[in-house]
């Protein structure tokens, strides 16, 4: 744990933007990301650097040759390993204050409930303040969007292919 002085120096830019209350809110937040593509890694980097409290990445993809060419947060010796685990480990090197975990499961498992029992992925989704879907199918995004709306949870959906991309946000109404 860093002292308050160290945190003030480390997060100086953010503190100037959103003050101590905003930084505290960020440090107490958890984001759940469905997918572990290069897009997901870059989005997470932009949350890890300013000091989000926790990240959870849910994906069952394995690191392949294409990932090594396109994703800064996997290494060549990661080939064949779970991509979610690799990116969480490498992102945490940017900011060890951030808690990170990977759930090696299909992003669709975030919707799996067995009676009153939830899958590990569903538990992670339920406990997050923000859900980010990266390069997921429209069918899964639709189901996750409905679940987030029911729970008054913010959702960001992003897809990219080459130089084309889009982002959609869905946030609960508040007054």
């Amino acid at each position: 744990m860093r002292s308050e002085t160290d945190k003030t120096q480390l997060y100086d830019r953010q503190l100037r933007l959103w003050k101590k209350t905003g930084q505290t809110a960020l440090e107490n937040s958890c984001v759940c990301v469905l997918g572990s593509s290069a897009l997901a890694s870059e989005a997470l980097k932009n949350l890890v650097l300013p000091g989000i409290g926790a990240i959870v990445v849910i994906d069952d993809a394995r690191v392949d040759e294409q990932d090594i060419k396109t994703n800064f947060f996997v290494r060549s010796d990661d080939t064949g390993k779970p991509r979610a685990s690799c990116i969480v480990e490498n992102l945490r090197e940017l900011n060890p204050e951030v808690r990170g975990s990977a759930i090696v499961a299909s992003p669709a498992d975030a919707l799996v409930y067995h009676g009153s029992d939830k899958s590990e992925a569903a538990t992670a989704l339920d406990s997050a303040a923000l859900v980010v879907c990266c390069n997921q199918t429209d069918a899964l995004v639709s189901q996750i969007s409905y679940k987030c709306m029911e729970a008054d949870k913010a959702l960001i959906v992003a897809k990219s292919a080459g130089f084309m991309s889009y982002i959609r946000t869905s946030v609960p109404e508040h007054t």
Side-chain angles (χ1 to χ4, degrees):
M1 255 350 234
R2 296 176 197 249
S3 71
E4 279 302 310
T5 306
D6 290 342
K7 279 188 172 186
T8 301
Q9 289 176 336
L10 179 65
Y11 300 129
D12 180 60
R13 288 184 189 160
Q14 292 87 258
L15 290 168
R16 291 172 195 233
L17 286 172
W18 49 67
K19 309 289 182 214
K20 186 170 175 59
T21 55
Q23 186 64 31
T24 300
L26 183 68
E27 290 173 5
N28 292 327
S29 295
C30 175
V31 64
C32 178
V33 178
L34 303 175
S36 60
S37 63
L39 175 63
S41 297
E42 289 298 319
L44 281 166
K45 174 196 71 172
N46 292 320
L47 293 168
V48 167
L49 286 172
I52 192 149
I55 60 172
V56 178
V57 180
I58 303 171
D59 202 0
D60 58 356
R62 301 242 170 221
V63 175
D64 62 21
E65 190 176 316
Q66 184 65 26
D67 294 319
I68 292 165
K69 293 176 185 176
T70 60
N71 192 331
F72 289 112
F73 296 99
V74 296
R75 299 178 177 124
S76 58
D77 59 338
D78 291 335
T79 302
K81 295 179 184 174
R83 192 168 59 196
S85 300
C86 294
I87 68 168
V88 167
E89 179 183 331
N90 292 324
L91 282 164
R92 287 207 60 246
E93 289 178 9
L94 297 176
N95 190 343
E97 295 288 313
V98 174
R99 295 178 316 279
S101 62
I103 299 173
V104 181
S106 167
D109 285 355
L111 298 168
V112 174
Y113 291 81
H114 302 288
S116 61
D117 294 332
K118 295 187 238 180
S119 67
E120 183 182 14
T123 301
L125 184 79
D126 288 348
S127 64
L130 170 67
V131 177
V132 180
C133 287
C134 290
N135 291 332
Q136 297 302 309
T137 65
D138 291 340
L140 179 61
V141 167
S142 178
Q143 292 175 304
I144 295 292
S145 179
Y146 181 75
K147 185 164 177 52
C148 288
M149 266 193 256
E150 280 186 323
D152 280 340
K153 191 178 301 273
L155 170 68
I156 297 175
V157 177
K159 284 192 176 186
S160 69
F163 292 113
M164 299 296 291
S165 62
Y166 83 87
I167 186 168
R168 178 177 64 91
T169 60
S170 175
V171 294
E173 184 175 335
H174 63 281
T175 56

